[in-house]
Amino acid sequence: MSATPTTELTVIVLAAGGGTRMKSKTMKVLHPIGGRSMIGHVLAAVGGLEPSRVVTVVGHQREQVGGHVLELMPDAVLAVQEEQLGTGHAVRVAVEAAGRGLAGTVLVAYGDTPLLTAESLRDFAAEHRAAQAAVSILSGVVENPFGYGRVVRDDMGEVVAIVEEKDASREQREITEINSGILAFDAAFLVEALPRIGNDNAKGEYYLTDTVQLARDAGLTVTAHPIDDVAQTEGANDRVQLAELGRVLNDRIVTGWMRAGVTVMDPGSTWIDADAVLAQDVTILPGTQLLGATVVAEDAVIGPDTTLQDCEIGVGARVVRTHAQLAVIGAEANVGPFSYLRPGTVLGAGGKVGGFVETKNAQIGDGAKVPHLSYVGDAEIGEGTNIGAGTIFANYDGVEKHRTVIGRHARTASNNTFVAPVEIGDGAATGAGTVVRRDVPPGSLAVSSGPQRNLRGWTVRRRAGTKQAQAAIEADPGLGRPAPDAEES
Ligand code: UD1
Ligand code: CA
């Protein structure tokens, strides 16, 4: 099937409502779920249809919502609905904003249905066109229809109306086929019908759903297409529903990756955002979150208990109990357990960042290793270099940040401090406890801690009467006899 629409398609996304039940300073449609805003998911699905035009109706917090929409879809049209007078009014505002020449099909969706897929929308639009209907309803059959508009059919099964909960008769309330809110219209009919919608109803609102009766009165076709996966049209009105939809969305994503060849040991404790990409034969261990635009290459093993946000993981890499953000981990590299990789970390192929190591803005070369208990900030470490345990890259002098550059195949010893800006040359070395304040030329050994002095009998004299002194005398009875401080080398 061709991706280009056969007829003109305009999609209207309604997002003017306040969403007070979220109890939030953030507008409902901007709440995140699966790594995108709710409206972000809707716009992604809508974008999949390659419509000729997308109009988003904004009202409450229009700056935030409108700005976000334009970031995701720069050529979307924003229509401002000053007062929320109902869905019919909202679509009228959208049609006015769309300008003259609205033709073909108009699809109306809501901004708070994050599970909606492009495929479902595409199928629905195709069914609408095939039926040559004036109005088509994406309906759903639900156990508890309370609160929804009911799809009323006649004896022949033809759709005659949508009746809102508050306007429904007792029998109509028994109907379990509901209006999902997603409607498709013949553009010419919609333009002509919108001004004729009144607000003489229980809510005093302009109901978009009144178009059904208007079409019927004009002898035009109205069809309803029940969707199998009702969750796709569900909105999240409060945070409980947001979490429920989040679980459903995650389940869909995780299942999709398993079907694509990813091993997920514990789907229930694995969270993968919509924009993450995983290759075949990746293994995900329990308690792992792959967030944002994280990309994981073949044969990598991630987890347990690992969070990766916007990271790139190379082929066969192993990342254990790690928290990483905007980091690149090379092929066959090893990270963790208990590592913290901050933005700008790039670990080369076969490299290692080990336990209790924090890195930030650090380029660590191929095969280079920072295995234990270190802070590596604003650094470049050459290929094959090994950093000793407990090393601190002192990048901040209290005013400015500076870089440390270490060459290839260097060996730095334990408990070093590199006071940036400083350079350590290729093949250089340092002694334990060295504080490197000056550059170390290639091949040099840098030592900064003074020669060790052993003061004979010091504890016996200065800690007389303690268990420490007693133990010393027991080991060397000669220490019990008085003598001046003497130094052994
Ligand atoms: C609407 C439908 C109902 C359907 C239900 C599905 C109508 C009259 N009723 O009811 O048949 O079963 O959705 O959830 O259409 N909005 C605006 N401007 C407005 C009013 C609403 O942008 O003036 C937006 C809201 O932000 C929301 C959507 O439209 O995203 C639906 O509005 P809402 O008030 O929730 O409609 P319901 O009463 O639930
Ligand atoms: Ca609603």
Side-chain angles (χ1 to χ4, degrees):
M1 213 176 99
S2 158
T4 31
T6 49
T7 62
E8 207 177 309
L9 175 68
T10 298
V11 183
I12 296 172
V13 179
L14 303 188
T20 50
R21 277 181 284 167
M22 277 288 175
K23 305 221 168 119
S24 176
K25 59 187 169 298
T26 304
M27 263 283 289
K28 174 164 83 169
V29 296
L30 297 183
H31 275 259
I33 174 169
R36 294 178 189 155
S37 64
M38 285 209 259
I39 198 168
H41 286 281
V42 174
L43 292 174
V46 164
L49 271 65
E50 299 186 25
S52 358
R53 210 193 270 103
V54 177
V55 184
T56 303
V57 180
V58 294
H60 284 271
Q61 291 190 28
R62 69 197 61 160
E63 282 80 21
Q64 287 91 324
V65 178
H68 179 69
V69 166
L70 291 179
E71 235 170 71
L72 298 174
M73 207 179 248
D75 53 2
V77 176
L78 294 184
V80 176
Q81 189 190 22
E82 297 288 347
E83 260 185 294
Q84 283 66 60
L85 303 177
T87 51
H89 180 256
V91 169
R92 196 170 167 179
V93 168
V95 165
E96 278 161 17
R100 260 173 251 282
L102 203 64
T105 299
V106 177
L107 209 53
V108 176
Y110 297 167
D112 68 345
T113 56
L115 298 187
L116 188 64
T117 66
E119 200 189 359
S120 297
L121 273 181
R122 200 181 291 122
D123 290 350
F124 174 57
E127 283 172 319
H128 165 76
R129 286 194 189 110
Q132 295 192 300
V135 186
S136 296
I137 305 156
L138 187 62
S139 67
V141 178
V142 296
E143 245 168 65
N144 177 15
F146 181 80
Y148 286 103
R150 309 299 205 280
V151 177
V152 182
R153 293 176 185 263
D154 65 15
D155 297 341
M156 309 290 289
E158 301 287 326
V159 177
V160 293
I162 294 172
V163 181
E164 295 303 302
E165 175 79 33
K166 285 194 174 157
D167 303 289
S169 67
R170 190 182 281 183
E171 295 110 80
Q172 287 171 334
R173 284 188 185 155
E174 298 295 312
I175 298 171
T176 55
E177 186 182 4
I178 56 104
N179 167 30
S180 72
I182 296 161
L183 301 173
F185 295 92
D186 171 68
F189 164 75
L190 182 66
V191 168
E192 175 271 322
L194 283 171
R196 295 196 285 130
I197 295 175
N199 64 352
D200 182 17
N201 52 50
K203 281 173 129 182
E205 284 184 1
Y206 296 89
Y207 290 165
L208 181 61
T209 47
D210 282 358
T211 50
V212 171
Q213 225 144 3
L214 292 173
R216 289 288 305 197
D217 292 348
L220 300 169
T221 306
V222 178
T223 56
H225 308 272
I227 187 169
D228 293 331
D229 183 9
V230 188
Q232 282 198 30
T233 63
E234 270 170 32
N237 293 309
D238 59 28
R239 303 201 197 218
V240 175
Q241 288 171 345
L242 185 67
E244 277 166 11
L245 293 188
R247 273 193 295 275
V248 175
L249 179 60
N250 187 60
D251 189 51
R252 183 203 281 170
I253 294 169
V254 172
T255 302
W257 287 120
M258 290 192 289
R259 297 220 187 280
V262 172
T263 294
V264 179
M265 190 182 274
D266 182 19
S269 70
T270 300
W271 291 83
I272 304 178
D273 276 353
D275 293 316
V277 178
L278 284 67
Q280 202 173 301
D281 288 316
V282 162
T283 298
I284 309 295
L285 300 178
T288 294
Q289 296 172 285
L290 303 178
L291 308 179
T294 292
V295 178
V296 185
E298 223 171 63
D299 297 324
V301 182
I302 313 292
D305 302 325
T306 291
T307 300
L308 305 178
Q309 168 108 44
D310 299 313
C311 289
E312 202 182 306
I313 313 301
V315 172
R318 184 83 182 80
V319 185
V320 187
R321 287 185 210 283
T322 289
H323 188 99
Q325 194 184 359
L326 283 165
V328 178
I329 295 172
E332 309 292 336
N334 279 284
V335 176
F338 307 108
S339 304
Y340 179 26
L341 275 50
R342 292 166 54 198
T345 297
V346 180
L347 176 61
K352 181 183 173 76
V353 169
F356 304 101
V357 172
E358 175 180 339
T359 62
K360 193 214 74 182
N361 190 20
Q363 291 80 55
I364 303 169
D366 291 352
K369 297 188 163 101
V370 189
H372 328 276
L373 301 158
S374 294
Y375 171 66
V376 184
D378 297 309
E380 192 182 314
I381 299 174
E383 118 190 24
T385 286
N386 191 88
I387 303 299
T391 295
I392 303 300
F393 286 63
N395 57 328
Y396 186 54
D397 59 15
V399 183
E400 277 182 275
K401 301 237 169 107
H402 302 282
R403 278 183 84 69
T404 298
V405 178
I406 303 182
R408 301 162 55 236
H409 298 287
R411 293 275 175 278
T412 67
S414 296
N415 199 31
N416 278 196
T417 304
F418 304 138
V419 183
V422 74
E423 265 184 58
I424 296 174
D426 293 347
T430 64
T434 300
V435 178
V436 179
R437 296 175 188 277
R438 288 189 292 122
D439 291 354
V440 181
S444 288
L445 168 69
V447 186
S448 75
S449 46
Q452 179 174 329
R453 295 159 67 214
N454 294 338
L455 301 181
R456 181 177 157 80
W458 186 91
T459 62
V460 174
R461 292 186 306 281
R462 302 296 173 90
R463 299 288 179 266
T466 64
K467 283 186 180 168
Q468 186 185 15
Q470 189 58 37
I473 292 164
E474 279 163 20
D476 181 356
L479 293 177
R481 294 185 285 275
D485 280 5
E487 190 170 321
E488 268 177 15
S489 73

